Amino acid sequence: MPVISAPHEFNEEDLYVDLEPVFGTSLYLKCEGFNFAGSVKLKAAVRMVTAAERAKALVPGRLLVESSSGNLGVALSVVAASRGYEFVCVTDSRCNLSTRRLMEALGARVHIITEPEAEGGFLAARLNYIRALCASDSRYLWLNQYANPGNWAAHYASTAPAIVRQFPGLDVLFVGAGTTGTLMGCARFLREWHRPVRIVAVDAVGSQTFGGPPARRMIPGLGTNVRPAILDESFVDDVVHVSEPDTIRACHRLARRGFLFGGSTGTVISGAIRWLAENDASGATAVAIAPDLGERYLDTVYQSNWLRDLYGEDVLQPDELPAESLPT
């Protein structure tokens, strides 16, 4: 029985879901949402805060500030509360209401950006606000997850080694691309491993992370309007872009089997299933990383009025399950 004294000391690292009964494709889903922050972002939050403390950049009296679409904001709220720091999360109007309330319950202040920049969208507006805040008050410390090497180092040290312990014959890994911390950490570790593993980044349609054209994106988590500084595309073998309707269909298909996952997870799974089909990867050992669970998306991805207003009636039409996977 684990006994802990700080919330970051617990994280379920070795839970996987076999998705073949749901999608008819051999794919294992690494579940990263079983910790007190509810997402994979707890690892990066702990790593970046600890590094700032060791460098004496973060000391009592300083205030943490970070831009986040939600999950890192919650993770930093958890870490800041447990270590006695004040924290300001700068997010935007797409952040789920339940996520904002959770951060506030943990003691964080949440600043919501309501207007995007003409170039760089909401993310650019969030970053500009943080820069102005730090310039106006030297007490603020911006961890900057988009450029902080601690973001990817957390996954180099933990996430990737955990995967290969369970799947020593791993052939392909699917990782969602947000800040690209999880992607870069896993890719760097596997580049040094003793056998080749194909790294497939899964991004949202409309994201500019890999140079695609901008478009409206309403589901927070994956995708950016500003290329993250820590991204090194030389570590990535393929990129798959997933539309938000496909994300939603994947989430609802899982929910019909009792698995409630977040929007980022739906995107990763949809992209992985498509890549495996298009690349004739039958027999390959494939793993996808699920960044979070679905409770924070009940007012969006799982709310019928929200879906109809943004995507129309068709997005709610149930897709056909393979005959062999229908419940009896």
Side-chain angles (χ1 to χ4, degrees):
M1 178 182 70
V3 177
I4 65 173
S5 57
H8 69 272
E9 293 173 358
F10 172 78
N11 182 62
E12 174 53 63
E13 190 74 89
D14 297 320
L15 179 63
Y16 294 81
V17 176
D18 181 356
L19 294 179
E20 187 163 14
V22 183
F23 292 96
T25 299
S26 180
L27 177 65
Y28 296 97
L29 186 67
K30 186 181 193 303
C31 301
E32 288 283 352
F34 292 97
N35 57 53
F36 281 90
S39 82
V40 71
K41 292 291 189 176
L42 182 60
K43 296 174 181 178
V46 171
R47 185 89 178 202
M48 291 189 294
V49 168
T50 301
E53 289 174 331
R54 288 174 177 168
K56 307 299 183 185
L58 181 57
V59 295
R62 296 212 70 178
L63 288 74
L64 287 170
V65 62
E66 185 57 89
S67 158
S68 172
S69 61
N71 282 339
L72 184 71
V74 172
L76 283 172
S77 298
V78 168
V79 176
S82 70
R83 298 193 182 184
Y85 299 115
E86 291 186 50
F87 170 55
V88 178
C89 180
V90 180
T91 187
D92 61 63
S93 53
R94 297 169 300 176
C95 179
N96 297 324
L97 178 60
S98 59
T99 299
R100 283 150 44 189
R101 287 177 173 169
L102 178 54
M103 287 188 279
E104 290 169 344
L106 290 163
R109 286 186 286 140
V110 180
H111 180 84
I112 301 169
I113 299 294
T114 58
E115 294 294 330
E117 296 282 355
E119 294 291 331
F122 278 111
L123 179 55
R126 281 160 32 189
L127 300 184
N128 287 339
Y129 178 88
I130 289 176
R131 292 185 183 104
L133 189 66
C134 292
S136 68
D137 190 335
S138 61
R139 293 178 301 162
Y140 283 101
L141 174 65
W142 178 25
L143 294 173
N144 192 1
Q145 62 168 327
Y146 311 96
N148 193 319
N151 189 352
W152 64 260
H155 304 287
Y156 180 95
S158 61
T159 308
I163 291 171
V164 299
R165 280 198 308 269
Q166 297 295 324
F167 297 93
L170 182 68
D171 295 306
V172 56
L173 179 65
F174 299 94
V175 190
T179 63
T180 70
T182 308
L183 174 65
M184 286 293 96
C186 290
R188 287 174 183 273
F189 179 89
L190 291 170
R191 178 68 62 87
E192 299 169 3
W193 203 39
H194 68 87
R195 66 187 304 274
V197 176
R198 198 157 188 84
I199 303 296
V200 180
V202 184
D203 200 6
V205 169
S207 167
Q208 296 177 275
T209 300
F210 295 95
R216 182 190 73 170
R217 291 180 293 109
M218 298 303 298
I219 300 175
L222 300 187
T224 64
N225 293 106
V226 179
R227 179 186 173 92
I230 60 175
L231 173 61
D232 183 343
E233 289 188 58
S234 70
F235 288 94
V236 179
D237 296 299
D238 289 299
V239 179
V240 178
H241 285 88
V242 175
S243 69
E244 290 191 334
D246 285 340
T247 291
I248 291 160
R249 293 184 188 106
C251 287
H252 280 253
R253 188 163 179 169
L254 284 162
R256 291 202 299 274
R257 290 305 193 89
F259 293 109
L260 196 71
F261 283 103
S264 297
T265 299
T267 302
V268 173
I269 292 172
S270 180
I273 296 296
R274 174 158 39 109
W275 187 94
L276 290 167
E278 292 175 351
N279 288 272
D280 190 23
S282 58
T285 299
V287 172
I289 297 176
D292 58 5
L293 302 177
E295 290 89 344
R296 296 172 195 168
Y297 298 80
L298 294 177
D299 292 329
T300 54
V301 170
Y302 296 102
Q303 214 284 330
S304 58
N305 290 334
W306 187 85
L307 294 175
R308 288 192 189 98
D309 290 345
L310 289 173
Y311 306 103
E313 294 286 344
D314 290 347
V315 76
L316 298 174
Q317 297 302 314
D319 52 350
E320 293 298 324
L321 290 173
E324 67 271 18
S325 67
L326 288 172
T328 58

